[in-house]
Amino acid sequence: MTLNQLRYVVEAAAAGSITEAAQRLFITQPSLTAAIHALEEELGIVIFRRTNKGITLTVKGEEFLAYARQLLEQEALIRERYSKRQRKKQLFCVSAQHYSFAVEAFVDLLREYGGAEYEFHMRETETYKILEDVGGFRSEVGVLYLNPYNETIVRRAIEDHGLLFTPLFTARPHVFVSKRNPLAARAMITLPDLAEYPRLSYEQGTHNAFYYAEEIQSTRPVKKDIIVTDRATLFNLLIGLDGYTISSGVINEELNGPEIVARPLAVDDFMEIGYLTRRNIRLSRFGKVYIEKLQQRVSQVTPSE
């Protein structure tokens, strides 16, 4: 067993394809296949299942991958401390719903531990994609919410992907609107108040079921619906069209601009926001620090803001 073989397994698991992993590693596909097969023969386990659509990890493969990543991380730390050679880029990935505190924690991590060279990914993406990213080892940490409506379905999906959900905080529903929207003057907003305004929500791709919606009260019928894919577009439309979206109430003026405000929504509902990790898999140092930064950011906010 060699460090290169460990790197091959980690890269193949991340790519989900031997062909793509070989391209990333700048080796031929037969060479990569032979190296992984030799490792499987040596250890007496099957790491990957081969299918027409690519490769997936076996149960033993998931366990082996966790150890491989730990060994490679330790090797990187040794090189960083003792080698005079140029250090390799630091790698870390997060997938999250569109929460400002998740981005702030990512920034905090980079400022403290980014180093001279790094490749960090912050994916604000669809809810089911978060499950797939963390479950498929493309991201180490995911951030999303549960509530009474979606909990049964989403927890089942969390379990199916071999993940663990850890709560960060519970928030009451708030309406995000432009400061110029007449609703901004209300101390409390009701659902009937929203009837004439466009509702903005995030596209959920092929898993566009209500259970995976990023916004609560998503099953409520409305006259005007606008679906977007990114945070900047959503906030621009909140301002330009007097639209609204329903979220946690945690908002950051530096990231989202000074024109957006949050007002409490008078409904009997809540959002339990937390993070996802792989079950029984030890976090890397960046994963641990990112979660620490998340917890620090959450402790600084008041969900009712």
Side-chain angles (χ1 to χ4, degrees):
M1 180 170 57
T2 67
L3 289 173
N4 272 341
Q5 285 175 310
L6 299 185
R7 292 189 185 94
Y8 293 167
V9 169
V10 170
E11 192 63 48
S17 162
I18 293 293
T19 301
E20 185 176 341
Q23 292 173 349
R24 294 181 185 180
L25 291 163
F26 301 102
I27 62 175
T28 65
Q29 181 178 337
S31 296
L32 178 56
T33 299
I36 293 177
H37 181 69
L39 180 61
E40 291 177 319
E41 286 286 320
E42 178 185 347
L43 299 177
I45 63 172
V46 176
I47 299 173
F48 293 108
R49 297 187 193 91
R50 280 76 171 176
T51 70
N52 293 333
K53 295 182 179 180
I55 55 173
T56 59
L57 286 162
T58 64
V59 174
K60 284 289 185 182
E62 291 183 1
E63 182 182 49
F64 177 79
L65 180 64
Y67 286 113
R69 293 173 71 179
Q70 290 171 38
L71 285 171
L72 291 174
E73 183 181 343
Q74 291 302 313
E75 185 240 1
L77 288 172
I78 292 171
R79 287 186 181 279
E80 183 178 320
R81 184 172 182 85
Y82 298 108
S83 176
K84 295 181 180 179
R85 296 169 57 189
Q86 187 175 11
R87 291 182 297 175
K88 295 182 179 180
K89 284 185 177 180
Q90 308 281 13
L91 298 174
F92 179 66
C93 304
V94 175
S95 294
Q97 292 177 328
H98 299 75
Y99 300 126
S100 58
F101 67 86
V103 178
E104 291 172 314
F106 190 78
V107 171
D108 293 340
L109 170 64
L110 275 169
R111 284 176 174 167
E112 190 167 344
Y113 292 97
E117 292 189 25
Y118 54 79
E119 182 181 326
F120 280 24
H121 295 247
M122 179 70 215
R123 302 183 177 107
E124 287 191 321
T125 188
E126 301 157 9
T127 301
Y128 199 83
K129 183 65 174 172
I130 297 169
L131 298 168
E132 291 183 323
D133 283 352
V134 182
F137 295 92
R138 287 179 290 276
S139 288
E140 190 170 352
V141 181
V143 184
L144 49 68
Y145 83 93
L146 300 177
N147 78 332
Y149 177 75
N150 74 5
E151 184 169 12
T152 300
I153 299 299
V154 177
R155 279 199 182 276
R156 185 181 304 155
I158 289 171
E159 185 70 25
D160 289 344
H161 285 82
L163 307 179
L164 179 67
F165 176 82
T166 303
L168 283 167
F169 69 97
T170 300
R172 292 295 173 184
H174 282 65
V175 180
F176 284 5
V177 293
S178 162
K179 284 183 177 179
R180 296 192 294 270
N181 189 307
L183 296 177
R186 305 279 183 93
M188 177 76 69
I189 294 175
T190 66
L191 290 175
D193 293 334
L194 300 171
E196 299 304 317
Y197 297 93
R199 178 176 66 186
L200 290 153
S201 56
Y202 289 107
E203 169 67 49
Q204 293 299 324
T206 56
H207 289 84
N208 207 20
F210 290 124
Y211 300 109
Y212 294 110
E214 189 166 332
E215 306 78 22
I216 64 173
Q217 300 290 318
S218 59
T219 58
R220 185 176 61 88
V222 297
K223 293 188 289 186
K224 305 172 184 177
D225 245 335
I226 302 174
I227 315 299
V228 302
T229 57
D230 66 89
R231 180 206 302 264
T233 300
L234 185 140
F235 283 125
N236 284 337
L237 292 175
L238 282 185
I239 296 169
L241 296 177
D242 272 344
Y244 72 90
T245 193
I246 301 174
S247 190
S248 65
V250 179
I251 192 166
N252 180 287
E253 186 172 303
E254 291 182 12
L255 290 175
N256 300 322
E259 294 300 314
I260 306 297
V261 296
R263 297 292 180 259
L265 180 63
V267 292
D268 184 19
D269 205 345
F270 65 87
M271 302 172 70
E272 185 176 47
I273 299 173
Y275 61 88
L276 296 174
T277 52
R278 287 286 310 183
R279 188 179 296 276
N280 300 323
I281 300 294
R282 288 178 58 185
L283 290 167
S284 71
R285 60 171 175 159
F286 292 124
K288 292 176 182 176
V289 173
Y290 179 70
I291 289 171
E292 289 174 5
K293 299 300 183 184
L294 272 179
Q295 292 167 335
Q296 290 170 9
R297 282 291 177 176
V298 166
S299 69
Q300 296 168 9
V301 300
T302 303
S304 59
E305 289 176 348

